[in-house]
Amino acid sequence: HIVTKPFAWARRAFVWSGEAYLSYSLAALSLMGYAASTYAWYNNTAYPSEFYGPTGPEASQAQTFTFLVRDQRLGANVASAQGPTGLGKYLMRSPSG
């Protein structure tokens, strides 16, 4: 890649300056950060609920009771699981705070 030139369409499509390289790199970092956060939010295989708490979809209001019962059956003390916040792990936060 050092000794060859980019294709003609790439030379026309991109700006070839230091500032452009920096902005392309920052855009790629933000895209990869979004992909990683989405992966962690939905993936129950890499981040099992039994170790890390419920994934985003599991923590929804519609499924709260299901996962509370499951954790109780696994032996978790759900009343003290979150310390002073009580059952915060199982309750959806209000958007208004």
Side-chain angles (χ1 to χ4, degrees):
H1 70 282
I2 295 174
V3 295
T4 60
K5 287 189 174 187
F7 294 118
W9 65 266
R11 285 196 305 264
R12 288 189 306 270
F14 294 104
V15 176
W16 302 94
S17 69
E19 291 87 2
Y21 290 153
L22 178 61
S23 66
Y24 300 150
S25 298
L26 290 174
L29 284 173
S30 67
L31 181 64
M32 293 303 108
Y34 176 76
S37 65
T38 304
Y39 179 82
W41 183 260
Y42 287 104
N43 191 334
N44 199 26
T45 302
Y47 302 97
S49 301
E50 292 78 11
F51 299 131
Y52 300 104
T55 60
E58 290 175 350
S60 71
Q61 283 287 30
Q63 297 175 340
T64 298
F65 185 70
T66 302
F67 293 100
L68 181 108
V69 170
R70 182 209 55 195
D71 287 353
Q72 283 179 329
R73 287 183 181 162
L74 288 172
N77 184 358
V78 296
S80 64
Q82 295 294 309
T85 60
L87 299 175
K89 173 178 171 180
Y90 300 99
L91 300 177
M92 183 68 78
R93 303 297 195 278
S94 168
S96 61

